[in-house]
Amino acid sequence: MVRLTLDLIAKSNNLKPRKEETIAQCLKKITHVNFSDRNIDAIDDLSLCKSLSVLYLYDNRISHVTNLNYSTNLTHLYLQNNCISCIENLRSLKKLEKLYLGGNYIAVIEGLEGLEELRELHVESQRLPLGEKLLFDPRTLRSLAKSLSVLNVSNNNIDDIKDLEALENLNHLIAVDNQLVHVKDLELLLKKLLKLWKLDLNGNPVCLKPKYRDKVILMSKSLEFLDGKEIKDMERQFLMNWKASKDAKKTSKKKSSNSEDPSSSYLSNFETIHHIVPVYYPQVGNPKVVFFSDVQRYFVNGNPSSECPQEDKTKITEDMGNLSLKEPESLLTKNDIHEPHLLNPKVKENVYEEME
């Protein structure tokens, strides 16, 4: 085990006290401590380092964040690539501006209430169990709403970022290599994040959606960079003009549809529903209209349907009877036969024989 102690700090920094100055007094003046990649697995009491503002402890074996309560002047804390599974004991760091926790085992972003000066939070590439994703405590997000401007949540199996809408002052969101799928979810977020000017989503399924870039640009007027590529004014203006033209066409088409003749529209719909078929009577030439969809509802294989009321059965039978030919079969000629397929089988046979 290697603990980060005051003695270790003093030796590492080769402190040489001035005349009549003690080691303790020298430690009080130290502002930067770098113990990255030194097999550190625990942090000792550093309360004597009153002026400590930057602490580098990345690439170590630290599993618990402890004994930083009195390092109240810390502004930058680097703890990436350790063994930390829980964010804890940091609430007293009121001046902390940048916190680096990437490459740990953190499953929930929490415990940061009270850090009103925190501007950057980096929690990318957490080593989570298969199938799990990084979650956000709403209380922590609300507490960081005013201060946080940069958030890195890349490579954390995240499929939903709507909770981040609480971060009203966020201007740079890095969420590459996650599982974001729906463009609609991005729209809901971008409507809330009015100060966001840089967005990185490379490696998400949503980036493969048709016209993904165009849609995202139209969603946010504040974005200046998308996936590392600058959004030029000409590009945004072109897309805005294109959308305005498309919307105008939709509006015009809708108005045109609403102004159609109601009677014409009704007849068209009526014909579609009922399948109107004209039937011509020989020697008369006046067509009668039969709605075969209505007839077929009551006659299946030539038999009236049992579901039809008796009165309707009688009426339908009478109507069908009215379709019978009133003239003798011998009077039929080729010119009179307009719809031979509508005749009964016996008549149809005689008609074809005479036509031949």
Side-chain angles (χ1 to χ4, degrees):
M1 292 179 64
V2 179
R3 295 180 66 85
L4 178 61
T5 63
L6 292 175
D7 289 340
L8 191 60
I9 293 174
K11 292 177 182 178
S12 176
N13 285 270
N14 295 318
L15 294 181
K16 295 179 180 180
R18 296 178 181 178
K19 190 178 181 179
E20 297 180 357
E21 188 178 43
T22 64
I23 294 293
Q25 290 174 327
C26 288
L27 288 170
K28 288 180 181 180
K29 297 178 181 180
I30 291 178
T31 58
H32 290 62
V33 170
N34 189 347
F35 274 84
S36 59
D37 198 14
R38 299 282 289 273
N39 290 320
I40 303 294
D41 56 14
I43 305 172
D44 211 344
D45 184 2
L46 303 180
S47 58
L48 196 58
C49 300
K50 299 292 186 181
S51 300
L52 184 63
S53 60
V54 181
L55 179 57
Y56 297 94
L57 290 173
Y58 59 84
D59 295 336
N60 282 298
R61 299 179 180 180
I62 299 169
S63 57
H64 296 282
V65 181
T66 57
N67 294 318
L68 292 179
N69 304 46
Y70 298 100
S71 300
T72 54
N73 286 311
L74 267 180
T75 58
H76 296 61
L77 179 57
Y78 297 81
L79 289 169
Q80 60 266 47
N81 299 325
N82 278 281
C83 302
I84 300 168
S85 59
C86 181
I87 303 176
E88 57 187 348
N89 303 321
L90 296 177
R91 297 186 183 186
S92 60
L93 306 182
K94 302 296 184 181
K95 296 183 180 180
L96 193 64
E97 297 177 5
K98 297 183 180 182
L99 177 58
Y100 295 82
L101 290 167
N104 281 285
Y105 295 86
I106 299 168
V108 182
I109 304 303
E110 59 185 348
L112 299 177
E113 292 86 342
L115 304 186
E116 298 178 355
E117 299 297 323
L118 191 64
R119 293 187 292 106
E120 294 188 22
L121 176 60
H122 300 263
V123 287
E124 73 282 0
S125 301
Q126 297 301 312
R127 288 171 277 184
L128 301 171
L130 186 64
E132 289 193 16
K133 63 181 180 179
L134 185 68
L135 302 175
F136 303 91
D137 186 337
R139 294 169 297 182
T140 287
L141 292 177
R142 286 195 296 268
S143 70
L144 300 177
K146 302 293 184 182
S147 63
L148 200 66
S149 60
V150 178
L151 176 62
N152 186 351
V153 293
S154 299
N155 192 27
N156 282 311
N157 204 34
I158 296 172
D159 58 5
D160 185 2
I161 54 175
K162 65 181 180 181
D163 291 341
L164 301 183
E165 66 183 31
L167 305 173
E168 58 188 68
N169 285 316
L170 197 67
N171 57 53
H172 187 190
L173 175 60
I174 311 162
V176 304
D177 296 328
N178 280 297
Q179 299 300 320
L180 301 174
V181 177
H182 304 294
V183 177
K184 190 67 176 178
D185 294 342
L186 299 181
E187 183 177 9
L188 297 175
L189 179 67
L190 293 174
K191 284 183 178 179
K192 298 287 185 178
L193 303 183
L194 302 180
K195 296 183 179 180
L196 191 71
W197 65 275
K198 196 170 185 180
L199 177 62
D200 294 310
L201 295 175
N202 279 318
N204 282 276
V206 70
C207 298
L208 302 177
K209 297 288 185 179
K211 296 185 179 180
Y212 149 77
R213 179 177 173 85
D214 295 348
K215 291 178 181 178
V216 172
I217 292 174
L218 288 171
M219 289 174 190
S220 173
K221 295 181 180 179
S222 62
L223 273 185
E224 297 178 20
F225 287 86
L226 176 60
D227 299 334
K229 186 178 179 181
E230 183 181 3
I231 301 171
K232 298 186 179 297
D233 292 339
M234 185 179 295
E235 181 182 11
R236 175 175 273 115
Q237 190 60 51
F238 171 79
L239 291 172
M240 290 176 65
N241 292 341
W242 171 78
K243 185 177 185 300
S245 175
K246 187 177 179 181
D247 292 343
K249 288 181 180 179
K250 285 184 178 179
T251 302
S252 176
K253 187 176 180 180
K254 186 176 181 181
K255 288 182 178 179
S256 176
S257 176
N258 292 338
S259 62
E260 287 183 358
D261 183 7
S263 60
S264 174
S265 176
Y266 173 78
L267 180 58
S268 176
N269 293 335
F270 198 68
E271 290 175 350
T272 301
I273 295 172
H274 292 283
H275 183 55
I276 299 175
V277 179
V279 177
Y280 291 88
Y281 288 88
Q283 305 299 326
V284 179
N286 294 324
K288 280 195 175 183
V289 177
V290 178
F291 300 95
F292 274 89
S293 59
D294 287 341
V295 174
Q296 289 171 357
R297 281 189 308 184
Y298 297 104
F299 286 82
V300 180
N301 297 326
N303 298 319
S305 169
S306 59
E307 298 178 359
C308 175
Q310 186 60 40
E311 294 180 3
D312 290 343
K313 290 180 183 178
T314 303
K315 185 179 184 302
I316 294 299
T317 304
E318 291 175 355
D319 290 343
M320 291 297 291
N322 291 334
L323 297 180
S324 61
L325 296 175
K326 301 299 182 180
E327 300 294 334
E329 298 175 9
S330 60
L331 296 179
L332 292 176
T333 66
K334 295 180 182 179
N335 294 331
D336 292 328
I337 304 304
H338 299 276
E339 298 288 342
H341 63 282
L342 297 178
L343 302 177
N344 62 60
K346 183 176 181 180
V347 174
K348 186 188 300 184
E349 182 179 351
N350 295 334
V351 169
Y352 280 121
E353 287 178 0
E354 188 161 335
M355 290 176 67
E356 292 175 354

